[in-house]
Amino acid sequence: MSAGRHPVQLVFFTVTDDDPLQNAPPITQGLDAEGLSLLLGAELAAQRGDYQRASQGYLDATQRYPVAALAERATFTARYSDAPELLLTATRRWQALAPDTTAPNRLLAAIALQQGQWVESLEQRLAITQAGEDTDLTALAEFAIAENGPLPDLLERLRAYVSTQDAASLQSDPLIATALLEIALGDTHAAEANLQAARAQGGNGRTLWLAVARLGLETQNYTKARQAARQGLADNPEDVRFILLLAQAEIRLGNIDAAQQQTDQLLENHQGGDELRLALSQLYLDEGYPEPAQQLLQPFIGQPQNPDRVYILLGEIALAEQEIDNALLYFRQVGEGDDFIPARARAAGMLIDNQRLLDARAFLRIERMAHDEYYNSLLTLEIQLLDEYGQSQEADQLLDRELARTPDDSTLLYQRAMRAWEAGDLEQMEADLKRLLANEPDNANALNALGYTLADKNLDGRLDEAQRLIERAYELAPNDPAVLDSMGWVYYRQGQPQRALDWLERAFAAMPDQEIAAHLAEVLHALGRSEEARELIDALMRQTSEHPAIDELLERLPSLAP
């Protein structure tokens, strides 16, 4: 052995098939290997911009570590993903882990509103109000009124909330929101009582004066409406709503000249600019005074660039005065954008209403040639108008002619397939969709439409084919609620209701429409959960006056009637 060197010891470990940590004590604090892997995976996914995977990772981690901060992070990343059902799940998990914070309630209220679940949005807002925080229930009430929401259901829930609160501590916001809904539904006596109660609670701000002015208009107490609008405008000089209410009160009082003078003065002093002028013009037009409406638009005449709404209003004014050709000229000046198709629809409908169907069709044909990027949209508009006015055969012939000219146009093929489906011509529908898929094998809409139809009709020996089509659509569009619904429905048709349930619940969470609700209710019934099915049906029937999918379900299963 050489001097200065130390012997090297070799230590050998025996390799066995046993896990060396099999008998180790469990980890009670900190992260174990799987938990660390979950969190690292989520963090890396978030850094790569894969927010859906990141959110799911954080959400999975909350099952091992029920910490609110993880659920909050899952919610935050889900907001950047294209997965609405994941956002809903993450937010609910956050709410469950942090019951004392109202942030999840606010987000759930917004999600519910986006999905059309008005009552659920109200419930979340009431929870915030109950916690002593402001959530602006009056804004929800105003939005519901503007969007034709389920006002009776919202009013019933607000009244129930108000009745359970201590009068001394009740905030004015729920009282004013209740009054706004009562005014919209014509229960003016109850609205007056709630507004008096709001005043007693110290309510004297913007929302109170708005409600009082609207109540005055509804009860034809226009002097009261004018007084409230003036008070609100004095306190909130930049709030356009008070200007409009004041002008409306003056008009209803018959003070047209005074109203014009007042609105002119307000326009000079107000910073609302063009938008305020347009809103006032719309108000005069709605009240049946096209001449002052047109006078308000005079500053726009001859300008090289105007908002599209100017031409829409000028067209409506000309139409109100039965100047059809002038109205047509104005509607045609609406430029490309969001108002382009509605303006052409208004113009064509106006011509048809005046017994000028040929002119309407010629107009739309010229517009198609002039605006190539809107060709199919204008063609669809003509087809819809022909259907609406009892010319469905002409509509079919028009679509056939266009497809003869461009036989591989996927939009037209899909449109004809859907028309065939509505007419019960499944053979034509299948032929058109298969032709479309031959050209575009990755068209998720066509795959889903054909797969769903085969499943829904329960055609002998074709359920497996339907499943393959829908699975392919799911690969291409995994977050599409219509595809999720189809997946659930094909499993139900195959006699697997339990497997179908998860898909349908995900679909309904993402898009709570009546067709998905009908499917979900039927599956719940098949699983022996009929009471849940009835509650679901009852909720949907309350939200809309027309529900053909629910009606068809109740014809087959009358025991599910709520």
Side-chain angles (χ1 to χ4, degrees), residues 35-48:
L36 181 61
S37 176
L38 274 173
L39 291 177
L40 284 175
E43 287 289 334
L44 290 172
Q47 292 179 20
R48 291 194 306 268

Side-chain angles (χ1 to χ4, degrees), residues 300-418:
F300 297 105
I301 304 299
Q303 295 297 318
Q305 290 184 332
N306 280 318
D308 286 333
R309 194 174 168 198
V310 171
Y311 300 116
I312 293 172
L313 282 169
L314 287 170
E316 293 292 350
I317 291 168
L319 179 56
E321 296 176 339
Q322 289 301 303
E323 297 175 359
I324 305 303
D325 291 321
N326 281 341
L328 182 61
L329 289 174
Y330 286 127
F331 287 132
R332 290 191 68 178
Q333 291 185 66
V334 175
E336 297 178 354
D338 292 341
D339 293 317
F340 180 86
I341 292 297
R344 272 64 187 176
R346 183 62 167 148
M350 169 191 71
L351 290 170
I352 295 173
D353 288 338
N354 283 271
Q355 312 304 315
R356 295 171 60 178
L357 176 61
L358 292 179
D359 288 346
R361 298 193 66 183
F363 160 67
L364 291 174
R365 184 167 60 253
I366 292 169
E367 290 294 286
R368 287 201 296 274
M369 289 187 289
H371 302 277
D372 187 61
E373 61 272 36
Y374 286 91
Y375 192 97
N376 282 346
S377 297
L378 288 164
L379 179 67
T380 298
L381 173 59
E382 184 173 352
I383 290 170
Q384 290 172 343
L385 286 170
L386 288 169
D387 283 337
E388 184 179 340
Y389 288 91
Q391 304 283 336
S392 293
Q393 187 174 357
E394 286 285 330
D396 290 334
Q397 291 172 359
L398 173 61
L399 185 53
D400 288 342
R401 285 197 303 272
E402 290 296 325
L403 272 168
R405 187 178 64 85
T406 55
D408 292 326
D409 188 305
S410 59
T411 301
L412 300 183
L413 283 169
Y414 189 84
Q415 186 174 4
R416 188 167 71 176
M418 293 302 99

Side-chain angles (χ1 to χ4, degrees), residues 40 98 110 123 168 172 195 231 233 260 297 317 333 400 460 510 518 529 550:
L40 284 175
E123 290 289 356
S172 62
L195 291 178
Q231 182 64 57
L233 187 60
Q260 287 184 265
L297 298 178
I317 291 168
Q333 291 185 66
D400 288 342
D460 289 339
R529 297 163 62 178
I550 297 293

